């Protein structure tokens, strides 16, 4: 394994784990705050119990995300020193703001966890909202830094050096809004379906515990709204990519020939050597419409660009199809839930629907991982789009496969510990609920 591949794999594995923790850290605080709000409005103690249980999960994922995020920040400097030498002064601002948001999130989380019966109830609720808002801000700042890599701005590149640096212009680059919007909604969608699926599974096993139904309704309401909104944010992102990174769009769709009235491909396997796509279903004109809002608009094909600048077309195309496919399934489930909630609420607890939710548990995070694959692999061979290639930024230290294997082992161990901690929280919750149920029977 060469050092470039090892470095890229280490970053991919680290980001692949961290993004799950980050998404949960962004969305889950709003779930616990909403559960507390329901308790404050209704007086139902089960909502308070739910808020406390979810807050423990938030604390666990907050700690894990802090560790994995710190590792990623070190990896940027250790694996890509040439990149950081030039990019650090330009896009360092969003990382500094992300650190500020992180500390505010930690303070607010401490207040929420230890403020029960110590703070005014509504102040305590506000601290939960503050945790969520800080998490969202933290995520947006990190995505803004990544967006800069896709749409570098805020500097002039002269003779291999960055001059006239403007960190504010770099942070608010042309890609930051579309990427941040798409990622934030994805975080809520993925977390909501995972939480809903988990509680659907627990409800199937323990139908006597009504708390799981309450949790499922909260999570799936947020998930359904997010899943319905996500295609709109995806449309904004696609139109942005069509203008800024037409080569990435061509790879996403395996669009080889520049053409008007370009068709959108559903499925298919790209054959790069023969420059065609096998087994795909094509919808005429739809790619032109989605990219430019015009059925007859011209969409550039891969052959319009030097072949050495093509990203791995097969990987990008399949990842894009997985993302869109998973998102479509979640949107359909979300619509079905909203219909049931409005017209036939008894259908929500039927076994067939709960089993669908259990099956959909990982879909959101599969879509997130696939989406980030499109974003990162689709930018290759550039680490700074159009400015610096990835191969020119990697460390010259030999043996990079060793830290890659080491960090993979650490993340796997971290995941095992995380699953154990979450299982313990669920067991403790069920024990408390069972004890209260026995006490009520005795009384």
């Amino acid at each position: 394994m060469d050092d470039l591949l090892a470095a890229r794999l280490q970053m991919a594995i680290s980001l692949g784990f961290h993004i799950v923790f980050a998404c949960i850290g962004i969305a889950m605080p709003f779930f616990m705050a909403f559960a507390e709000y329901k308790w404050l409005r209704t007086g139902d103690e089960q909502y308070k119990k739910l808020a406390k249980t979810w807050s423990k999960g938030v604390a666990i994922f907050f700690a894990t995300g802090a560790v994995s995020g710190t590792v990623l920040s070190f990896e940027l400097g250790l694996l890509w020193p040439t990149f950081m030498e030039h990019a650090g002064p330009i896009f360092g601002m969003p990382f500094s703001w992300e650190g500020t948001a992180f500390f505010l999130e930690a303070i607010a989380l401490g207040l929420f966890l230890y403020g029960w019966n110590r703070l005014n109830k509504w102040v305590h609720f506000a601290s939960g909202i503050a945790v969520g808002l800080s998490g969202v801000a933290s995520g947006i700042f990190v995505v803004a830094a990544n967006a800069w890599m896709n749409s570098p701005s805020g500097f002039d590149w002269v003779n291999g050096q960055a001059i006239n640096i403007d960190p504010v212009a770099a942070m608010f680059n042309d890609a930051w809004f579309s990427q941040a919007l798409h990622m934030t909604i994805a975080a809520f969608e993925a977390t909501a379906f995972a939480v809903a699926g988990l509680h659907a599974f627990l409800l199937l096993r323990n139908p006597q515990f009504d708390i799981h139904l309450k949790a499922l309704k909260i999570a799936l309401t947020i998930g359904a709204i997010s899943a319905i909104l996500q295609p709109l944010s995806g449309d904004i992102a696609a139109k942005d990519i069509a203008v800024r990174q037409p080569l990435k769009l061509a790879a996403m769709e395996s669009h080889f020939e520049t053409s008007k009235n370009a068709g959108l491909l559903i499925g298919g396997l790209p054959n790069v050597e023969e420059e065609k796509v096998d087994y795909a279903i094509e919808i005429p004109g739809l790619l032109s419409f989605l990219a430019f809002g015009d059925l007859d608009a011209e969409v550039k094909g891969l052959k319009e660009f030097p072949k050495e600048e093509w990203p791995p077309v097969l990987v990008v195309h399949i990842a894009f199809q997985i993302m869109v496919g998973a998102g479509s399934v979640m949107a359909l489930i979300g619509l079905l839930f909203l219909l049931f909630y409005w017209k036939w609420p008894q259908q929500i607890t039927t076994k067939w629907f709960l089993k669908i939710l259990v099956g959909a548990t990982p879909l959101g995070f599969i879509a997130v991982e696939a989406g980030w694959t499109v974003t990162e692999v689709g930018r290759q061979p550039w680490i700074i789009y159009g400015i610096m290639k990835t191969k020119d930024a990697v460390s010259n230290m030999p043996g990079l496969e060793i830290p890659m294997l080491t960090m993979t082992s650490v993340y796997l161990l971290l995941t095992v510990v995380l699953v154990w901690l979450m299982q313990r929280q669920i067991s403790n919750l069920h024990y408390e609920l069972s004890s209260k149920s026995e006490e009520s029977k005795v009384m």
Side-chain angles (χ1 to χ4, degrees), residues 74-354:
F74 279 111
E75 286 177 348
L76 277 173
L78 294 173
L79 298 176
W80 314 101
T82 306
F83 165 71
M84 289 304 295
E85 176 188 353
H86 295 285
I90 306 171
F91 80 152
M93 180 178 284
F95 283 119
S96 64
W97 280 109
E98 188 273 338
T100 303
F102 173 81
F103 283 116
L104 291 174
E105 184 179 5
I107 293 168
L109 181 58
L111 290 172
F112 191 90
L113 291 173
Y114 300 105
W116 293 100
N117 304 321
R118 293 181 176 89
L119 297 174
N120 173 275
K121 290 180 180 180
W122 289 103
V123 172
H124 186 267
F125 164 72
S127 71
I129 296 296
V131 176
L133 292 176
S134 301
V136 169
S138 180
I140 289 174
F141 288 130
V142 171
V143 172
N146 178 268
W148 177 85
M149 297 166 69
N150 286 293
S151 181
S153 58
F155 66 99
D156 294 321
W157 190 255
V158 180
N159 298 325
Q161 296 292 325
I163 62 173
N164 300 325
I165 294 172
D166 183 348
V168 175
M171 184 167 73
F172 296 108
N173 56 80
D174 290 341
W176 85 270
F177 176 76
S178 61
Q179 279 196 211
L181 178 66
H182 198 56
M183 185 62 229
T184 303
I185 295 175
F188 280 91
E189 182 179 5
T191 303
F193 272 86
V195 172
L198 172 62
H199 284 282
F201 174 75
L202 295 172
L203 190 59
L204 282 168
R205 293 185 61 183
N206 306 275
Q208 73 277 18
F209 296 149
D210 189 52
I211 191 172
H212 294 308
L213 178 59
K214 289 180 168 63
L216 185 154
K217 287 180 178 179
I218 291 174
L220 207 50
T221 298
I222 296 172
I225 294 170
S226 301
I228 294 167
L229 290 176
Q230 189 65 312
L232 301 177
S233 74
D235 181 65
I236 293 172
K239 286 179 168 57
D240 178 57
I241 290 171
V243 175
R244 287 186 304 96
Q245 294 176 296
L247 178 54
K248 179 186 285 189
L249 179 68
M252 288 160 58
E253 273 298 311
S254 295
H255 185 64
F256 288 96
E257 299 284 349
T258 298
S259 61
K260 295 182 179 181
N261 194 240
L264 182 76
L265 299 183
I266 299 176
L269 291 174
N271 186 330
V272 178
E273 291 183 0
E274 298 182 18
E275 298 179 345
K276 66 176 185 177
V277 183
D278 300 319
Y279 317 115
I281 300 172
E282 181 176 354
I283 304 176
L286 191 54
L287 179 58
S288 292
F289 182 77
L290 291 176
F292 299 104
D294 181 357
L295 289 170
D296 294 320
E298 181 179 271
V299 179
K300 290 184 178 180
L302 288 161
K303 292 167 72 173
E304 193 83 13
F305 305 90
K307 204 160 190 175
E308 62 270 17
E309 294 186 4
W310 290 12
V313 177
L314 178 63
V315 174
V316 176
H317 178 79
I318 290 178
F320 180 67
Q321 296 293 319
I322 290 172
M323 179 186 70
V324 173
S328 299
V329 172
M330 287 186 288
L332 289 173
I333 294 173
L335 287 169
L336 190 60
F337 167 75
L338 293 177
L339 178 63
F340 286 166
Y341 194 84
W342 178 49
K343 294 285 288 184
W344 304 289
Q346 70 277 6
Q347 291 295 321
I348 295 174
T349 54
T350 55
K351 286 187 176 181
W352 68 269
F353 186 65
L354 293 176

Side-chain angles (χ1 to χ4, degrees), residues 12-135:
I13 291 167
S14 300
L15 181 60
F17 278 96
H18 176 69
I19 201 169
V20 174
F21 308 145
C23 284
I24 295 172
I26 288 171
M28 202 65 209
F30 289 100
F31 290 41
M32 70 181 191
F34 187 68
E36 183 179 12
Y37 174 79
K38 294 285 286 184
W39 167 62
L40 292 172
R41 298 297 295 178
T42 66
D44 188 335
E45 288 294 320
Q46 285 200 338
Y47 284 118
K48 183 179 181 181
K49 172 62 67 178
L50 187 58
K52 286 187 171 183
T53 302
W54 277 348
S55 69
K56 293 173 184 176
V58 169
I60 291 170
F61 278 99
F62 177 82
T64 340
V67 172
S68 60
T70 303
V71 169
L72 272 170
S73 65
F74 279 111
E75 286 177 348
L76 277 173
L78 294 173
L79 298 176
W80 314 101
T82 306
F83 165 71
M84 289 304 295
E85 176 188 353
H86 295 285
I90 306 171
F91 80 152
M93 180 178 284
F95 283 119
S96 64
W97 280 109
E98 188 273 338
T100 303
F102 173 81
F103 283 116
L104 291 174
E105 184 179 5
I107 293 168
L109 181 58
L111 290 172
F112 191 90
L113 291 173
Y114 300 105
W116 293 100
N117 304 321
R118 293 181 176 89
L119 297 174
N120 173 275
K121 290 180 180 180
W122 289 103
V123 172
H124 186 267
F125 164 72
S127 71
I129 296 296
V131 176
L133 292 176
S134 301

